[in-house]
Amino acid sequence: MTTRITHFETHDIRFPTSLTGDGTDAMNTDCDYSSAYVTIYTDSGLIGHGMTFTIGRGTDIVCHAIRELAGRLVGRDPESFFENMGKTWDWMCSDSQLRWIGPEKGVIHLATAAVNNALWDMFARARGKPLWKLIVDMTPEELVNATAFRYITDVLTREEALAMLKAKEAGKREREALVTKVGYPAYITSAGWLGYSDEKVSRLTKEALASGFNHFKMKVGTDLKDDLRRGKMIRSIIDNPANYPSGFKDPSSPELVGKNAGPTGAVLMIDANQVWDVPQAIEYVAGLAEIKPWFIEEPTAPDDALGHAAIRRALKPYGIGVATGEHAHNRMVFKQLFQAEAIDVCQIDSCRLAGVSEVLSVLLMAAKFGVPVCPHAGGVGLCEYVIHLSVIDYVAISGTMERNVLEFADHLHEHFPYRCTMNERGRYNVPSNPKEGYSIEMYKESIAEFEWPNGSYWVSARGGKVLST
């Protein structure tokens, strides 16, 4: 009997993180971590959950775009989509009237991410596997067919991608066994938000050290002297051998070479969230060389590939690299970043790119250019998503996690039944529940409490007043 997609639901879910300073940086000073969320239903009981990350106002606009896109799925057999997810992705992006308001960027691309991710979640659930396992079990041919290639074949053809994947087949099961055993390496951002007091930054940094982390990221960009002071404070903690009761890492070890690691092997990264022009970025970051950052993340406008390349050249004498990708609109921006030799670290985002199929194209390009992938995961649901993507990259595509680290932020995981978890080594545990799909299902109680504008939390915050919608 054929299964049909019958309907879908969208939810505008907002968490009041601005009250605690979570997510604060030089550009985004008032963040309410939010989710434009969709659930797709079938007549067989099979469902798929997807979301895209926002920070408050405008989430309703993304939800409206999701409704336009998801409506195209109703009445279709999901198995017809699963047969070739790359072709499905192309079809999802092909409605000419909806495409016009992108194309392949902005609100419409964020909405496409939510819907495409929901289809991938449904696919994984239909096969009884976590998403990463679904994809690493694909043959090279199947994985190529799941990937979006339009507009990137001048740097990566389907034939090249197939050859790359076949070359990695031999050690795939050994890599899968290793990452499942030891976990995927992570860095922590939760201690470095600009809105935190020194006491809170110090406490959270020490707690992260005790949890096994040795890569730390702090936000910069509002005041050079204060950033330097805060950076020295963090360095004084993470570079102090006394804070490592169980021992520390050799800064000359292979996974730390080129990362400006301190004497304990601790690595510090900095993130400006796009606040500078190119000359400002070069001057400002050179002024922070004393705290030895591995890279500066998002030093300028996310679309400016040549600007990033200029910054990278100027900072190379200081041993400071450049990272970006959290706001890179699409695979074409990444293509140009690679072509221009503009970045040392590729930071994919599971929701800024339009779902898994486009992510696969960027992972393949990064592997071809030899650029490590350290995904962005600072918002609600992103950590749950990107552990799957990093495991896919390691097991099936790049074959390495030696220099890679996946962002972790300790916020809002309690709203997901299949939440991400960390082990004592400061590494992500690999998702293992065959029912969890892409791990993004959210508790119904959380949706009821935090849906905007009339979830119970927001009604209570307004003194019991319900808003008309």
Side-chain angles (χ1 to χ4, degrees):
M1 182 177 176
T2 302
T3 297
R4 298 291 178 186
I5 293 172
T6 56
H7 64 290
F8 60 89
E9 295 177 357
T10 62
H11 300 278
D12 174 349
I13 306 161
R14 308 185 193 185
F15 299 96
T17 51
S18 59
L19 298 179
T20 54
D22 298 344
T24 49
D25 57 57
M27 180 66 78
N28 307 295
T29 57
D30 186 27
C31 302
D32 283 330
Y33 277 0
S34 304
S35 169
Y37 193 84
V38 61
T39 300
I40 301 171
Y41 296 89
T42 68
D43 55 12
S44 70
L46 180 66
I47 59 174
H49 304 282
M51 60 150 278
T52 200
F53 171 62
T54 57
I55 61 168
R57 287 182 296 277
T59 309
D60 52 331
I61 301 172
V62 182
C63 286
H64 189 91
I66 288 172
R67 287 191 287 272
E68 293 293 326
L69 289 160
R72 300 181 68 213
L73 308 181
V74 174
R76 300 290 296 267
D77 178 0
E79 287 294 334
S80 69
F81 294 134
F82 303 158
E83 288 173 1
N84 188 316
M85 287 294 279
K87 185 180 292 185
T88 296
W89 191 91
D90 288 339
W91 174 80
M92 288 180 64
C93 296
S94 69
D95 183 297
S96 61
Q97 294 184 8
L98 294 176
R99 177 180 169 77
W100 185 265
I101 59 173
E104 296 190 43
K105 54 182 167 290
V107 169
I108 200 68
H109 218 50
L110 291 172
T112 305
V115 179
N116 186 254
N117 286 338
L119 271 183
W120 275 101
D121 180 63
M122 182 181 287
F123 189 3
R125 288 166 178 261
R127 301 299 185 262
K129 297 179 181 182
L131 179 92
W132 71 265
K133 180 65 171 166
L134 171 77
I135 292 178
V136 302
D137 283 350
M138 288 179 172
T139 66
E141 291 81 4
E142 289 170 333
L143 204 156
V144 165
N145 283 339
T147 302
F149 279 96
R150 191 178 194 184
Y151 303 138
I152 66 168
T153 55
D154 52 324
V155 300
L156 182 72
T157 65
R158 295 173 67 90
E159 293 74 21
E160 286 180 290
L162 183 60
M164 289 168 57
L165 293 169
K166 286 184 174 179
K168 289 292 186 291
E169 278 286 282
K172 203 159 76 167
R173 295 309 162 201
E174 290 79 8
R175 291 192 295 274
E176 180 180 336
L178 177 63
V179 72
T180 302
K181 178 181 178 181
V182 304
Y184 197 91
Y187 73 86
I188 193 162
T189 300
S190 299
W193 300 119
L194 276 180
Y196 287 178
S197 66
D198 286 358
E199 182 280 327
K200 188 171 184 177
V201 170
S202 177
R203 173 175 56 81
L204 291 175
T205 301
K206 290 175 182 177
E207 289 176 2
L209 280 175
S211 298
F213 288 96
N214 80 312
H215 287 65
F216 303 82
K217 190 169 79 179
M218 60 175 279
K219 300 291 185 173
V220 299
T222 55
D223 182 88
L224 178 59
K225 289 183 180 179
D226 192 56
D227 289 341
L228 190 59
R229 181 191 61 79
R230 291 168 54 246
K232 288 180 177 179
M233 179 183 70
I234 293 174
R235 270 290 181 199
S236 71
I237 298 169
I238 64 178
D239 289 348
N240 185 350
N243 290 324
Y244 295 80
S246 301
F248 46 84
K249 294 189 176 182
D250 178 1
S252 64
S253 58
E255 70 268 23
L256 296 176
V257 170
K259 291 185 176 181
N260 269 339
T264 61
V267 177
L268 182 63
M269 301 96 89
I270 56 176
D271 184 358
N273 293 91
Q274 318 160 29
V275 295
W276 301 311
D277 283 2
V278 171
Q280 288 177 296
I282 295 167
E283 181 180 5
Y284 199 108
V285 178
L288 294 174
E290 185 179 349
I291 61 174
K292 298 174 63 178
W294 170 23
F295 61 65
I296 172 64
E297 178 178 342
E298 286 201 312
T300 192
D303 305 339
D304 188 358
L306 296 183
H308 279 84
I311 294 166
R312 183 175 183 247
R313 287 193 299 271
L315 294 180
K316 193 173 285 291
Y318 299 94
I320 301 171
V322 171
T324 202
E326 169 184 347
H327 282 83
H329 280 307
N330 49 44
R331 65 207 176 280
M332 292 79 80
V333 174
F334 280 104
K335 179 185 74 170
Q336 293 172 27
L337 290 166
F338 295 136
Q339 288 173 311
E341 299 182 350
I343 54 174
D344 298 275
V345 173
C346 170
Q347 294 177 304
I348 57 170
D349 183 280
S350 56
C351 300
R352 182 71 54 179
L353 293 171
V356 175
S357 293
E358 189 172 31
V359 167
L360 291 174
S361 70
V362 177
L363 294 179
L364 284 160
M365 285 191 289
K368 177 179 177 177
F369 282 87
V371 177
V373 178
C374 301
H376 169 246
V380 58
L382 299 187
C383 295
E384 280 69 25
Y385 265 154
V386 295
I387 178 55
H388 291 269
L389 304 178
S390 286
V391 174
I392 292 164
D393 177 54
Y394 169 57
V395 175
I397 298 176
S398 71
T400 180
M401 59 176 171
E402 196 167 73
R403 290 177 53 76
N404 301 48
V405 280
L406 168 55
E407 184 172 19
F408 176 75
D410 193 15
H411 309 299
L412 304 172
H413 303 296
E414 66 273 16
H415 298 289
F416 299 90
Y418 303 111
R419 71 194 68 175
C420 67
T421 60
M422 308 295 292
N423 64 30
E424 70 281 356
R425 301 181 184 92
R427 289 171 171 252
Y428 277 83
N429 292 313
V430 175
S432 60
N433 191 318
K435 298 180 180 180
E436 68 185 284
Y438 203 178
S439 304
I440 208 65
E441 179 180 355
M442 192 178 289
Y443 284 118
K444 292 180 179 179
E445 294 82 1
S446 295
I447 295 173
E449 184 175 1
F450 292 102
E451 184 158 18
W452 176 267
N454 291 322
S456 59
Y457 172 85
W458 296 109
V459 170
S460 175
R462 292 193 298 270
K465 183 179 180 182
V466 175
L467 299 183
S468 59
T469 56

